[in-house]
Amino acid sequence: MNERVPGDDLREFLRSRRARISPEQAGIAPLPGARRVPGLRREEVAQLAGVSVDYYVRLERGRSANVSASVLAAVARALQLDDTERRHLFALAGPDRPRPRAAVEQRARPGLRRVLESITEIPAVLLGHRLDVLAINHLGDVLFADFDTLPAGERNMARYAFLTDAARDLYLDWPAVARETVAMLRLYASHHPHDPRLARLVAELSAADADFRRWWASHDVYLPQYGSKPYHHPLAGRLTLAFEAFTPMGDPDQTLGLFTAEPGSPSEDALRLLASHRPGARCTISCTSQVLPSGSSKDSKLE
């Protein structure tokens, strides 16, 4: 990621999005001739977006420095991008795309820290844009890992998901969680293209894990909102937790994740068991790394 050429991410993202759509899905008659690549051709995307083929080719090659928001919106419609993918496209190529700036150390506001400290019945975690764990409450520590015992540079959900056996045991659908984790980092990277810490994190995980490399190359993006996920915890057995993701006012680069169990369910009993695992409900603060669980899955019962 440190050595990527400007425009590479835009080119690969657009290629990956048009490769997944056939002319039939786009509602157009396919152009004549043998199709050497899956999905739409550049000419067909240009036709759908109402721009010249030459203009779209230059855009896909990252050579349109002054592309307008209206053209990007037309390309997003042509490629049938969802809201998160559209946001990613504008971050990569839009007129207001991020400019180089000094990296800022992310921290949890004192008020947010106190909010997490006051939450005692459900896991809660505050993440930064690198998926750093900025703050986590007692139940979050027990559910995932005791991040307070880790060096600051290792308190990260992406590192936890890919570099620890505990995460692969905890998440019953680890591939889905891990792939969403990569897609979150990919989205954040488009908004922070000059962040050296993010670049080092991606390089470290790419070197360590073949799945990470493959999913990073897919250019999928993901923004957590709400859902549920099944777990198998070494202390509490199987449980299913719903999650809600919030963006604190005043800092769009942070995500607050809250995890709840269905009232009266075995999963709620499991949370109570985890809450009593060790005394004292304190909040880990000034952390530097970890991943917000997200996705959807079938309910599980406590074993």
Side-chain angles (χ1 to χ4, degrees), residues 61-83:
R61 290 176 177 172
R63 295 177 182 171
S64 284
N66 298 313
V67 60
S68 68
S70 61
V71 167
L72 289 178
V75 170
R77 287 193 298 272
L79 295 175
Q80 301 178 14
L81 303 186
D82 63 25
D83 289 343

Side-chain angles (χ1 to χ4, degrees), residues 111-266:
L112 279 174
R113 250 180 250 151
R114 290 192 292 271
V115 167
L116 265 71
E117 290 170 353
S118 70
I119 299 174
T120 59
E121 296 184 354
I122 62 172
V125 59
L126 181 69
L127 302 177
H129 70 257
R130 306 179 196 97
L131 300 182
D132 297 332
V133 177
L134 305 178
I136 190 167
N137 69 353
H138 167 65
L139 252 179
D141 259 340
V142 177
L143 176 64
F144 298 112
D146 191 352
F147 288 100
D148 197 34
T149 65
L150 299 176
E154 296 181 12
R155 299 169 191 166
N156 180 278
M157 277 301 226
R159 297 187 87 261
Y160 171 71
F162 282 95
L163 302 182
T164 69
D165 292 334
R168 295 171 189 260
D169 294 335
L170 177 67
Y171 299 119
L172 283 179
D173 192 355
W174 179 87
V177 174
R179 186 160 191 166
E180 288 174 353
T181 298
V182 177
M184 289 171 67
L185 284 179
R186 177 60 85 176
L187 178 63
Y188 296 151
S190 68
H191 289 75
H192 301 274
H194 309 287
D195 185 338
R197 287 192 182 182
L198 184 56
R200 287 195 295 269
L201 176 63
V202 171
E204 177 188 10
L205 297 178
S206 295
D209 192 277
D211 285 329
F212 184 94
R213 292 193 298 274
R214 177 164 54 89
W215 291 330
W216 184 258
S218 74
H219 286 264
D220 291 334
V221 290
Y222 173 72
L223 183 67
Q225 298 177 8
Y226 61 90
S228 65
K229 186 175 279 69
Y231 303 86
H232 189 282
H233 195 277
L235 296 175
R238 292 187 63 165
L239 66 159
T240 296
L241 298 179
F243 74 89
E244 297 283 343
F246 303 91
T247 299
M249 295 295 289
D251 197 333
D253 288 335
Q254 294 186 8
T255 301
L256 174 63
L258 303 177
F259 304 86
T260 62
E262 186 72 22
S265 68

